[in-house]
Amino acid sequence: MKTLILNVDRDDDLGRKAKVKTPIIGVKDNINAANKLGLADPEDSDLNAIFSAISTYNSLTSDKEKDIEVATICGHINVGLKSDGILAEQLERVIEETGAQDIILITDGAEDEYILPIIQSRIKVTSIKRVSVKQSKELEDTYYRILKILDDEKVQKQFLLPIALVLIVWAFFVLLNIASSGFGAILLTLGAYLLIRVFRWERSISYMFEEMKSGLLTGKLSIYTSIIAAVILIASIFLAYNTANFNSDVEFIPILSFASNMIWGIVIAGLLVILGRVIDLYVKDKRTPWNYWIVPFSLFAFGFISSAIFNSLHKALLNWPNSFSITPFLTLSFIGNTSTGIMIGIVGAITYHYIKDIYVAESSELEIERQTT
């Protein structure tokens, strides 16, 4: 019966720090991996776990009746579903290559032992050995080790990142002389961070930034217009907030004023995003961006109609709850803006369907010509 001495590194310190590919099978390869990790980070606890696995292997090979093999498997820095899936896949490969029938598990902490049920579902576990590193109890040594822990990439992402976000948001609001709103902004920031962590959107956000970086390097105009649009949108939010009278006795007034002042900022930001996308499609991708035709018309229609409604509501509710005036909705300004918005929307819808029919007809003709040739 073959016994496998298995070392588990759930958060992939070997891959991240020593650039070692796993699974690692055999004493020689494990020693080489340990040496690389030792050169990269001599104080990593996974280093002790590898040497403990090798030491256990040496002590058991003295019994010539036993068939022993040693291996190391690693997961991913995002400990959880992804990490455990990688570990399960590597475990099956190791079992298949070694032909092991039971396992002695070597870990350097409770986190790695979370994979125990996954291992037990595939093979019998006869023993578990947890490696503990001897540490000094002196204050200086404790302080040094805390600094080393904080230097770890995983700890930085989980603990230091939210603290950094809180400090940046608070400082930003203090510089704008609106420190009273800083606490609310901090709660919003932490709430958004926790939401991203709970739904595991880190990869999507990371992919978005990678796409943005790639776009900047390859010269995509849509990346630049999107950044400018985001700046305009943020500036519009602060401008609308400062313009709104939040000390008004009527609670609807500040909200209506804020919304009214935000409308054209949203329209301009949307137009910039669409402009960049259309130019990229036409120039770089050599495609006709006909399906974006209706978007500018929709944005302008939204701007005229929304501004007319919010401005009129603002005037109508000035004496609320004593009275509600319908007069602002009968003025030439309201009728003119809403009519303009409706007409722009109608023109956009009609021309969009006209252009779509032309594009579909041309595409059909090209397809027929391609098939005949």
Side-chain angles (χ1 to χ4, degrees):
M1 185 171 71
K2 191 163 190 176
T3 299
L4 175 67
I5 302 170
L6 182 68
N7 174 43
V8 177
D9 174 16
R10 198 176 182 213
D11 56 357
D12 193 26
D13 285 333
L14 270 170
R16 290 186 294 114
K17 298 178 181 179
K19 310 300 179 185
V20 176
K21 293 184 178 180
T22 53
I24 307 164
I25 302 173
V27 175
K28 183 178 179 181
D29 288 342
N30 272 274
I31 290 174
N32 290 336
N35 289 334
K36 290 180 180 179
L37 181 59
L39 291 172
D41 187 358
E43 298 179 354
D44 195 300
S45 58
D46 287 296
L47 184 63
N48 299 279
I50 297 174
F51 281 121
S52 177
I54 296 169
S55 175
T56 304
Y57 172 87
N58 291 334
S59 63
L60 292 176
T61 49
S62 59
D63 186 351
K64 295 184 179 180
E65 295 181 359
K66 291 186 177 181
D67 190 5
I68 310 293
E69 186 59 277
V70 62
T72 298
I73 59 176
C74 296
H76 193 270
I77 187 172
N78 293 328
V79 174
L81 293 175
K82 180 172 182 178
S83 176
D84 293 345
I86 294 172
L87 287 169
E89 181 185 349
Q90 292 189 13
L91 175 62
E92 290 177 354
R93 286 172 54 191
V94 170
I95 293 172
E96 183 180 353
E97 290 185 26
T98 61
Q101 295 172 298
D102 67 315
I103 277 181
I104 298 173
L105 181 62
I106 309 292
T107 73
D108 67 335
E111 182 180 72
D112 292 334
E113 292 175 14
Y114 276 108
I115 196 180
L116 183 60
I118 299 174
I119 297 173
Q120 289 176 324
S121 68
R122 290 163 172 80
I123 193 170
K124 182 173 71 174
V125 178
T126 57
S127 180
I128 300 174
K129 183 178 180 181
R130 187 172 180 181
V131 180
S132 298
V133 182
K134 295 179 182 179
Q135 299 181 4
S136 171
K137 295 182 180 180
E138 296 180 2
L139 182 61
E140 291 183 8
D141 187 63
T142 303
Y143 172 74
Y144 173 74
R145 293 188 178 279
I146 290 173
L147 291 180
K148 293 297 291 181
I149 290 171
L150 292 177
D151 192 48
D152 186 85
E153 182 182 353
K154 184 173 64 175
V155 175
Q156 290 174 353
K157 287 184 177 180
Q158 291 181 351
F159 299 103
L160 296 186
L161 178 60
I163 295 173
L165 288 173
V166 167
L167 293 175
I168 291 170
V169 170
W170 179 259
F172 183 72
F173 275 80
V174 169
L175 290 173
L176 291 176
N177 293 323
I178 46 175
S180 57
S181 303
F183 182 69
I186 287 171
L187 292 179
L188 178 64
T189 304
L190 286 178
Y193 173 78
L194 293 174
L195 197 66
I196 291 169
R197 295 286 300 178
V198 167
F199 288 100
R200 299 186 182 277
W201 290 337
E202 299 98 325
R203 182 185 293 181
S204 299
I205 294 173
S206 176
Y207 177 77
M208 180 183 70
F209 279 108
E210 285 294 327
E211 284 289 306
M212 186 178 293
K213 179 181 176 182
S214 176
L216 289 171
L217 293 176
T218 55
K220 282 190 176 181
L221 184 64
S222 57
I223 300 297
Y224 294 96
T225 55
S226 297
I227 293 172
I228 296 170
V231 172
I232 291 174
L233 201 58
I234 293 170
S236 299
I237 292 172
F238 284 106
L239 180 64
Y241 179 85
N242 290 329
T243 306
N245 181 20
F246 284 94
N247 296 321
S248 174
D249 296 331
V250 184
E251 58 184 7
F252 302 107
I253 298 299
I255 298 173
L256 292 172
S257 178
F258 178 83
S260 178
N261 291 322
M262 274 291 298
I263 289 169
W264 289 107
I266 295 172
V267 172
I268 294 171
L271 288 172
L272 279 171
V273 172
I274 295 302
L275 176 64
R277 181 61 179 158
V278 166
I279 293 175
D280 280 345
L281 283 173
Y282 188 75
V283 176
K284 284 189 168 293
D285 299 338
K286 307 300 180 184
R287 291 164 54 191
T288 304
W290 63 269
N291 51 333
Y292 286 98
W293 177 266
I294 197 172
V295 178
F297 292 93
S298 301
L299 286 170
F300 276 113
F302 164 78
F304 279 107
I305 295 172
S306 299
S307 61
I309 292 173
F310 283 118
N311 286 329
S312 297
L313 276 174
H314 183 273
K315 295 175 182 177
L317 292 170
L318 283 175
N319 296 319
W320 182 268
N322 297 324
S323 63
F324 176 82
S325 175
I326 199 172
T327 305
F329 294 96
L330 304 175
T331 60
L332 290 175
S333 175
F334 175 80
I335 296 171
N337 284 333
T338 51
S339 300
T340 302
I342 293 170
M343 288 303 298
I344 290 174
I346 292 172
V347 170
I350 293 172
T351 53
Y352 171 76
H353 287 291
Y354 177 73
I355 291 172
K356 180 181 178 181
D357 290 339
I358 294 175
Y359 179 81
V360 170
E362 289 179 353
S363 299
S364 301
E365 290 176 2
L366 290 173
E367 183 66 26
I368 292 170
E369 290 178 6
R370 191 180 297 110
Q371 290 177 356
T372 53
T373 55

